[in-house]
Amino acid sequence: MKLYSIQLLRGIAALLVVFYHAVGLQLLTIGPEKADNAMLGGVFASGFAGVDLFFVISGFIMVWVTRRGEPGLPGVGEFLFARITRIYPLWWAAAALAATYYIFLHVPEADDPAWRTAVQNGEGVGFLMKSFLLIPQPDLPVLSLGWTLMHEMYFYAVFACLLLVPRAVIPLALLGWGGLVVAASLLGLSEPVAINFLTLAIHPLTMEFIFGAMIGLMVSSGFVARSGILTLGAALWFTASLCLQGEFTPYTHQWGRVLAFGIPGALLVYGFAALEQHGRLVWLVPVAGAVIVCAAVYQMQGVSPAADLALRQSATLVAVPAGAVAAGLVLGLGWLGGRYTPGLLYALGRPLEMLYAAGRHIGDWSYSIYLGHIFAIGGLVFLQRWLATAGDWAAPFVLGAPGVLDDLIYIAGAFAGALLAGWFGYMLVERPALSLFRMVRRRLFPYSRRAREDQLP
């Protein structure tokens, strides 16, 4: 059974990362002196939390898809084959595109520090090999987004080993794994960025995979509560963390983001999965209302991560109650509509179902969006730089211009470009690769339960 609500959550995580990078590139383009003119910022400046949500979802999915898997080495082999063929084809395509850009357009004056250092030291080939294989190294890979995939592959490798033990032992194994990560941090062994296999193995971000896996064990074992209020609380907690997040520090890179986003992210995953299991996805309407109002109220106050903590706290204390009130209003109106105007409420259901379906599609494209959006936004920034030299007619459209027109065009372009890049990546690379390797997997593991299920009409 595929949980479509989790696909929706994947789409949300991908869009958070899209707007996070859109904020960064916008500020890089207009310069700090015009930063106050930018409409983006605020909660979007903390959109890196989409990665934390991705990690939690990955841990959940690994448990969910293996809940009826074959025990022993055949099951482990099939699991690893599925994961490797899921991650690497699209990564190779995106990394090759980035490498082509640097090799043919930016050598040796590359503006990417990792690439420039590798070329100057005569280590370009080794740098590229490690990048394509997702092997940790002191510098970020040729497409910097790949650092997250290193964590993903590490988690898959360890989880594959856990599949060799009885299912009942996995919770204890996960607790032991988490204990090792905590102990390593207490001993001062962890680093903000994983630069080798040791720092990758003990990085605090591993806890987010473990959180997701524990949630997956709960849901797959039938421990599924009626979680409407829990989901609402988790959504407001996650949004409040987006509001409160300050500028990046070494602590943020490690435990800061785990505590701020990993824990509420795990509760969100549980809440979404439980709502779908109970057939109560209508709760996502007040949840969405709460998040939108909370974020909007915070944005209107013009607070950035660079602001003092006291200012961020006061703005958040206004935004979160506003979101909670919005959720209460939506619930109240829903109750009144169901009691007095059920026809109107039923009519509203159709557009909401279409919106939910659109979110699921974005979730299907989320991996392609994640790897492809940076090219789309980069192209948009190049267009903005051209507009800056195009004459007076283009002045209102150039980033940093007075007014909101430039921001609205940039936001719409970043959103549409990211979706288009995701759709192209999914249709041209990801889906064909998935279909091809699904056929190969059936031949390699013909007696697995998944292969038998694939053959059912």
Side-chain angles (χ1 to χ4, degrees):
M1 174 186 175
K2 189 173 184 179
L3 291 175
Y4 294 107
S5 59
I6 301 301
Q7 287 299 96
L8 172 64
L9 207 53
R10 284 169 59 103
I12 293 170
L15 292 179
L16 277 173
V17 176
V18 167
F19 284 112
Y20 170 67
H21 286 131
V23 170
L25 285 173
Q26 181 180 20
L27 295 180
L28 190 65
T29 302
I30 66 177
E33 66 278 359
K34 295 183 179 180
D36 292 339
N37 292 345
M39 283 182 64
L40 284 174
V43 293
F44 298 110
S46 303
F48 64 85
V51 169
D52 303 276
L53 191 53
F54 267 131
F55 285 171
V56 175
I57 292 172
S58 291
F60 174 86
I61 291 295
M62 291 311 96
V63 172
W64 183 256
V65 300
T66 58
R67 68 193 186 281
R68 294 194 302 269
E70 298 292 324
L73 288 175
V76 171
E78 184 185 13
F79 169 79
L80 286 175
F81 180 84
R83 291 298 95 197
I84 289 171
T85 56
R86 176 77 173 87
I87 294 294
Y88 276 104
L90 185 62
W91 164 246
W92 284 336
L97 190 58
T100 301
Y101 168 74
Y102 287 126
I103 290 172
F104 291 104
L105 298 179
H106 265 53
V107 173
E109 296 84 13
D111 57 5
D112 180 83
W115 176 252
R116 184 170 60 244
T117 301
V119 171
Q120 290 173 349
N121 294 341
E123 299 172 354
V125 174
F127 170 74
L128 286 177
M129 289 295 293
K130 289 183 177 180
S131 295
F132 275 79
L133 295 175
L134 295 173
I135 295 174
Q137 55 185 323
D139 295 307
L140 291 171
V142 65
L143 180 59
S144 59
L145 296 167
W147 73 267
T148 62
L149 302 183
M150 295 178 187
H151 287 271
E152 292 271 0
M153 295 307 299
Y154 162 65
F155 175 75
Y156 296 157
V158 176
F159 188 77
C161 296
L162 296 184
L163 293 178
L164 295 172
V165 304
R167 188 81 169 181
V169 178
I170 290 181
L172 294 177
L174 290 171
L175 289 174
W177 187 11
L180 289 175
V181 173
V182 173
S185 290
L186 293 176
L187 292 172
L189 299 177
S190 63
E191 296 286 345
V193 179
I195 60 175
N196 52 44
F197 284 111
L198 174 61
T199 52
L200 177 65
I202 61 176
H203 199 284
L205 285 175
T206 301
M207 296 300 297
E208 296 178 338
F209 292 103
I210 295 173
F211 293 160
M214 295 296 285
I215 296 298
L217 288 171
M218 292 171 62
V219 174
S220 60
S221 63
F223 187 77
V224 183
R226 296 168 68 87
S227 58
I229 296 297
L230 173 66
T231 308
L232 176 60
L236 284 173
W237 181 358
F238 194 93
T239 310
S241 294
L242 291 173
C243 298
L244 286 170
Q245 178 60 48
E247 294 186 298
F248 248 81
T249 66
Y251 173 73
T252 307
H253 274 291
Q254 299 181 76
W255 287 101
R257 62 192 302 170
V258 173
L259 299 176
F261 304 111
I263 297 174
L267 294 176
L268 268 178
V269 170
Y270 178 80
F272 273 56
L275 288 175
E276 184 167 354
Q277 294 280 75
H278 281 294
R280 304 179 75 213
L281 286 174
V282 68
W283 262 94
L284 295 183
V285 178
V287 168
V291 169
I292 291 170
V293 170
C294 179
V297 169
Y298 188 83
Q299 291 293 108
M300 287 189 292
Q301 297 177 76
V303 180
S304 73
D308 291 337
L309 176 60
L311 186 59
R312 285 182 275 121
Q313 287 176 333
S314 62
T316 303
L317 287 174
V318 174
V320 172
V325 169
L329 287 174
V330 172
L331 287 169
L333 290 173
W335 180 82
L336 290 172
R339 187 173 179 86
Y340 298 108
T341 57
L344 175 62
L345 205 62
Y346 181 80
L348 289 174
R350 182 58 181 165
L352 290 175
E353 288 175 359
M354 293 173 63
L355 191 62
Y356 178 69
R360 282 168 39 196
H361 283 303
I362 294 175
D364 290 338
W365 308 338
S366 59
Y367 183 35
S368 293
I369 290 173
Y370 178 71
L371 290 182
H373 77 276
I374 203 72
F375 298 105
I377 298 176
L380 190 61
V381 169
F382 274 115
L383 176 61
Q384 284 286 332
R385 290 174 179 170
W386 174 81
L387 285 174
T389 63
D392 294 339
W393 67 270
F397 308 106
V398 177
L399 278 177
V404 299
L405 183 60
D406 61 313
D407 291 279
L408 293 176
I409 292 175
Y410 179 71
I411 293 169
F415 178 71
L419 291 187
L420 193 60
W423 182 80
F424 270 111
Y426 181 76
M427 298 300 292
L428 297 179
V429 180
E430 191 176 357
R431 192 166 74 168
L434 288 173
S435 299
L436 171 63
F437 288 113
R438 186 179 295 116
M439 292 188 292
V440 174
R441 192 181 71 231
R442 289 173 187 164
R443 291 183 176 274
L444 291 176
F445 308 97
Y447 302 110
S448 72
R449 186 181 310 222
R450 184 180 294 183
R452 295 196 299 268
E453 289 176 351
D454 286 345
Q455 294 171 0
L456 293 176

Coordinates of all heavy atoms in Angstrom, one line a residue, residues 81-82 84-90 425-441:
F81 N 19.6 -3.2 -4.1 CA 19.5 -3.0 -5.6 C 18.5 -2.0 -5.9 O 18.7 -1.1 -6.7 CB 19.1 -4.3 -6.3 CG 19.0 -4.2 -7.8 CD1 20.1 -4.3 -8.6 CD2 17.8 -4.0 -8.3 CE1 20.0 -4.2 -9.9 CE2 17.6 -3.8 -9.7 CZ 18.8 -3.9 -10.5
A82 N 17.3 -2.0 -5.2 CA 16.3 -1.0 -5.4 C 16.7 0.4 -5.0 O 16.5 1.3 -5.7 CB 15.0 -1.4 -4.6
I84 N 19.9 1.6 -4.7 CA 21.0 2.0 -5.5 C 20.5 2.5 -6.9 O 20.9 3.6 -7.4 CB 22.1 1.0 -5.7 CG1 22.9 0.8 -4.3 CG2 23.1 1.3 -6.8 CD1 23.8 -0.4 -4.3
T85 N 19.6 1.7 -7.5 CA 19.1 2.1 -8.8 C 18.1 3.2 -8.7 O 17.7 3.8 -9.7 CB 18.5 0.9 -9.4 OG1 17.4 0.3 -8.6 CG2 19.5 -0.2 -9.7
R86 N 17.6 3.5 -7.5 CA 16.7 4.7 -7.3 C 17.5 6.0 -7.2 O 17.1 7.0 -7.7 CB 15.9 4.4 -6.0 CG 15.0 5.6 -5.6 CD 13.8 5.6 -6.5 NE 12.8 6.6 -6.0 CZ 12.8 7.9 -6.4 NH1 13.7 8.3 -7.2 NH2 11.9 8.7 -5.9
I87 N 18.7 5.9 -6.5 CA 19.5 7.1 -6.3 C 20.4 7.5 -7.4 O 20.5 8.6 -7.8 CB 20.2 7.0 -4.9 CG1 19.3 6.9 -3.7 CG2 21.2 8.1 -4.7 CD1 18.5 8.1 -3.5
Y88 N 21.2 6.5 -7.9 CA 22.3 6.9 -8.7 C 22.0 7.3 -10.1 O 22.6 8.3 -10.6 CB 23.3 5.7 -8.8 CG 24.3 5.7 -7.6 CD1 24.1 4.8 -6.5 CD2 25.3 6.6 -7.5 CE1 25.0 4.8 -5.5 CE2 26.2 6.6 -6.5 CZ 26.0 5.7 -5.4 OH 26.9 5.7 -4.3
P89 N 21.1 6.8 -10.9 CA 20.9 7.2 -12.2 C 20.6 8.7 -12.4 O 21.2 9.4 -13.2 CB 19.7 6.4 -12.7 CG 19.8 5.1 -11.9 CD 20.2 5.6 -10.6
L90 N 19.6 9.2 -11.6 CA 19.3 10.6 -11.6 C 20.5 11.5 -11.1 O 20.8 12.6 -11.6 CB 18.0 10.9 -10.9 CG 17.5 12.4 -11.0 CD1 17.2 12.7 -12.4 CD2 16.3 12.6 -10.1
G425 N 13.1 16.0 -15.4 CA 14.0 15.0 -14.8 C 13.3 13.6 -14.5 O 13.8 12.6 -14.8
Y426 N 12.0 13.8 -14.1 CA 11.2 12.6 -13.8 C 10.9 11.8 -15.1 O 11.0 10.6 -15.1 CB 10.0 13.0 -13.0 CG 9.1 11.8 -12.7 CD1 9.4 11.0 -11.6 CD2 7.9 11.5 -13.4 CE1 8.6 9.9 -11.3 CE2 7.1 10.5 -13.0 CZ 7.5 9.6 -12.0 OH 6.7 8.6 -11.7
M427 N 10.4 12.5 -16.1 CA 10.0 11.9 -17.3 C 11.1 11.4 -18.2 O 11.0 10.3 -18.8 CB 9.1 12.9 -18.1 CG 7.9 13.3 -17.4 SD 6.7 12.0 -17.0 CE 6.2 11.5 -18.6
L428 N 12.2 12.1 -18.2 CA 13.3 11.8 -19.1 C 14.3 10.8 -18.5 O 15.0 10.0 -19.2 CB 14.1 13.0 -19.6 CG 13.2 14.0 -20.4 CD1 14.1 15.2 -20.8 CD2 12.7 13.3 -21.6
V429 N 14.5 10.9 -17.2 CA 15.6 10.0 -16.5 C 15.0 9.1 -15.4 O 15.1 7.9 -15.5 CB 16.7 10.9 -15.9 CG1 17.7 10.1 -15.2 CG2 17.3 11.9 -16.9
E430 N 14.3 9.7 -14.5 CA 13.9 9.0 -13.3 C 12.9 7.9 -13.6 O 13.1 6.7 -13.2 CB 13.3 9.9 -12.2 CG 13.2 9.3 -10.9 CD 12.7 10.3 -9.8 OE1 12.6 11.5 -10.1 OE2 12.4 9.9 -8.7
R431 N 11.8 8.2 -14.3 CA 10.8 7.1 -14.5 C 11.3 6.1 -15.4 O 11.1 4.9 -15.2 CB 9.5 7.8 -15.0 CG 8.3 6.8 -15.0 CD 7.0 7.5 -15.2 NE 6.8 7.9 -16.6 CZ 5.6 8.3 -17.1 NH1 4.6 8.4 -16.3 NH2 5.5 8.7 -18.4
P432 N 12.0 6.4 -16.6 CA 12.5 5.3 -17.4 C 13.5 4.4 -16.7 O 13.5 3.2 -16.8 CB 13.2 6.1 -18.5 CG 12.5 7.4 -18.6 CD 12.2 7.7 -17.2
A433 N 14.4 5.0 -15.8 CA 15.3 4.2 -15.0 C 14.6 3.3 -14.1 O 14.9 2.1 -13.9 CB 16.3 5.1 -14.3
L434 N 13.5 3.8 -13.4 CA 12.8 3.0 -12.5 C 12.1 1.8 -13.2 O 12.1 0.7 -12.7 CB 11.7 3.9 -11.8 CG 12.2 4.9 -10.7 CD1 11.1 5.8 -10.3 CD2 12.8 4.2 -9.5
S435 N 11.6 2.1 -14.4 CA 10.9 1.0 -15.1 C 11.9 0.0 -15.6 O 11.7 -1.2 -15.5 CB 10.2 1.6 -16.3 OG 9.2 2.5 -16.0
L436 N 13.1 0.4 -16.1 CA 14.1 -0.5 -16.5 C 14.6 -1.4 -15.4 O 14.7 -2.6 -15.5 CB 15.3 0.3 -17.1 CG 16.5 -0.5 -17.5 CD1 16.2 -1.5 -18.5 CD2 17.7 0.4 -17.9
F437 N 15.0 -0.7 -14.3 CA 15.5 -1.5 -13.2 C 14.5 -2.3 -12.4 O 14.9 -3.3 -11.7 CB 16.3 -0.6 -12.2 CG 17.6 -0.1 -12.8 CD1 17.7 1.3 -13.1 CD2 18.6 -0.9 -13.1 CE1 18.9 1.7 -13.6 CE2 19.8 -0.5 -13.6 CZ 20.0 0.9 -13.9
R438 N 13.2 -2.0 -12.6 CA 12.2 -2.8 -12.0 C 12.2 -4.2 -12.7 O 12.0 -5.2 -12.1 CB 10.8 -2.1 -12.1 CG 9.7 -2.9 -11.4 CD 8.4 -2.2 -11.4 NE 8.4 -1.0 -10.7 CZ 8.3 0.2 -11.2 NH1 8.1 0.4 -12.5 NH2 8.3 1.3 -10.4
M439 N 12.3 -4.1 -14.1 CA 12.4 -5.3 -14.9 C 13.6 -6.2 -14.5 O 13.6 -7.4 -14.4 CB 12.3 -5.0 -16.4 CG 11.0 -4.4 -16.8 SD 10.9 -4.3 -18.6 CE 12.1 -3.0 -18.9
V440 N 14.7 -5.5 -14.4 CA 16.0 -6.2 -14.0 C 15.8 -6.8 -12.6 O 16.3 -8.0 -12.4 CB 17.2 -5.2 -14.0 CG1 18.4 -5.9 -13.5 CG2 17.4 -4.6 -15.4
R441 N 15.2 -6.1 -11.7 CA 15.0 -6.7 -10.4 C 14.2 -7.9 -10.4 O 14.4 -8.9 -9.6 CB 14.4 -5.6 -9.4 CG 14.4 -6.0 -8.0 CD 13.8 -4.9 -7.1 NE 12.4 -4.9 -7.3 CZ 11.7 -3.8 -7.5 NH1 12.3 -2.7 -7.7 NH2 10.3 -3.9 -7.6

